[in-house]
């Protein structure tokens, strides 16, 4: 039975979601009433997916999501909130969230999103095992598993999304990585908000690789990006 961590401070909604997901989805659901309790619970057990309410006392959902990502880079996260601002969606995906649902929502829709994310996670795990995890980029050494770039004795830690994006660029070295492919493989959705987040991560990667003149990440107009190594 797959385990879901549900962080929701509204006791009525929390109980409804827990009962529905256990009855209809056949999941083992742990319900927490605030972010601190949810993080303690996450550190105790292994979960297959997290549903995090953004507006919670003690620790909000975005902060909780960031803390969870420090522990587990791959567990699918759905953010749930009554807020529907563009900035909130951008922040949710920028923190490594996999989906964002705005209240009020139908529990049937939530269940469909859960099944879709768990199916993707299973496929990603199978594909992940077939891809290389160490790369030489000019004078840089990139360790995907360690999420680290090494250069002349210096190390630069990468976020999960930065590491995933750099690995795709390395696999396509000197060839075009399309914008759509990167968004679908890393964010599983090529919407506007994810595109904005990816632009930020690309800027950071260019900064990390700027000390080697033989290495450059360039835009390919109308297509995507290319990691050039001469």
């Amino acid at each position: 039975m797959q385990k879901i961590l549900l962080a929701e401070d509204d006791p009525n909604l929390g109980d409804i979601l827990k009962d529905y997901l256990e009855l209809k989805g056949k999941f083992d659901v742990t319900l927490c009433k605030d972010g601190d309790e949810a993080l303690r619970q996450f550190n105790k057990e292994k979960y297959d997916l997290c549903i995090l309410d953004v507006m919670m006392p003690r620790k909000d959902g975005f902060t909780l999501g960031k803390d969870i990502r420090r522990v587990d880079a791959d567990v699918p996260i759905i953010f749930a909130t009554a807020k529907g601002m563009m900035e909130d969606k951008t922040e949710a995906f920028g923190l490594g969230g996999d989906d964002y649902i705005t209240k009020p929502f139908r529990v049937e829709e939530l269940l469909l999103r859960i099944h879709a994310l768990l199916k993707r996670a299973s496929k990603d795990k199978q594909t992940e095992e077939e891809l290389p995890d160490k790369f030489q980029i000019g004078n840089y050494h990139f360790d995907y598993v360690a999420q680290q770039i090494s250069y002349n004795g210096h190390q630069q830690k990468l976020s999960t999304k930065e590491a995933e994006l750099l690995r795709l660029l390395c696999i396509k070295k000197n060839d075009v990585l399309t914008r759509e492919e990167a968004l679908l493989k890393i964010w599983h959705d090529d919407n506007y908000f994810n595109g904005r987040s990816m632009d930020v991560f690309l800027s950071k990667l260019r900064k990390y690789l700027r000390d080697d003149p033989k290495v450059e990440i360039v835009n390919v107009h109308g297509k995507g990006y290319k990691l050039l190594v001469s």
Side-chain angles (χ1 to χ4, degrees), residues 1 19 21 34 42 68 72 81 131 141 161 170 173 190:
M1 184 179 291
D19 291 345
L21 294 177
D34 62 66
F42 185 84
I68 286 175
D72 190 323
T81 180
L131 296 175
H141 177 71
K161 287 290 191 287
C170 288
K173 186 173 67 174
D190 60 348

Side-chain angles (χ1 to χ4, degrees), residues 50 52 76-80 92-93 96-101 109-110 112-114 116-117 120 187-189 191:
C50 299
L52 312 180
I77 296 177
I78 299 175
F79 287 105
F93 291 117
D98 298 276
D99 205 350
Y100 183 105
I101 190 166
E109 179 188 355
L110 177 62
L112 289 173
R113 292 182 183 225
I114 290 171
L117 284 178
R120 289 172 188 166
W187 281 269
H188 309 298
D189 193 330
N191 65 47

Side-chain angles (χ1 to χ4, degrees), residues 167-179:
R167 179 159 74 159
L168 285 180
L169 287 165
C170 288
I171 291 170
K172 295 272 192 173
K173 186 173 67 174
N174 294 323
D175 198 358
V176 175
L177 170 65
T178 67
R179 187 174 178 85

Side-chain angles (χ1 to χ4, degrees), residues 36 39 56 69 82 115 121 164 185 199:
D36 284 340
L39 184 60
M56 289 190 296
R69 276 287 170 256
H115 283 311
E164 290 175 344
K185 284 189 176 180
D199 290 339

Side-chain angles (χ1 to χ4, degrees), residues 148-193:
Q148 181 173 278
I149 298 173
S150 302
Y151 177 77
N152 286 346
H154 299 285
Q155 284 77 42
Q156 171 66 55
K157 289 294 292 183
L158 304 179
S159 70
T160 299
K161 287 290 191 287
E162 288 168 354
E164 290 175 344
L165 185 54
L166 183 55
R167 179 159 74 159
L168 285 180
L169 287 165
C170 288
I171 291 170
K172 295 272 192 173
K173 186 173 67 174
N174 294 323
D175 198 358
V176 175
L177 170 65
T178 67
R179 187 174 178 85
E180 180 183 29
E181 179 183 355
L183 287 169
L184 291 177
K185 284 189 176 180
I186 299 174
W187 281 269
H188 309 298
D189 193 330
D190 60 348
N191 65 47
Y192 169 82
F193 309 107

Side-chain angles (χ1 to χ4, degrees), residues 133-135 137 141-144 148 158 163 166-167 170:
D133 53 28
K134 289 184 173 61
F135 303 88
I137 312 170
H141 177 71
F142 169 42
D143 188 325
Y144 170 76
Q148 181 173 278
L158 304 179
L166 183 55
R167 179 159 74 159
C170 288

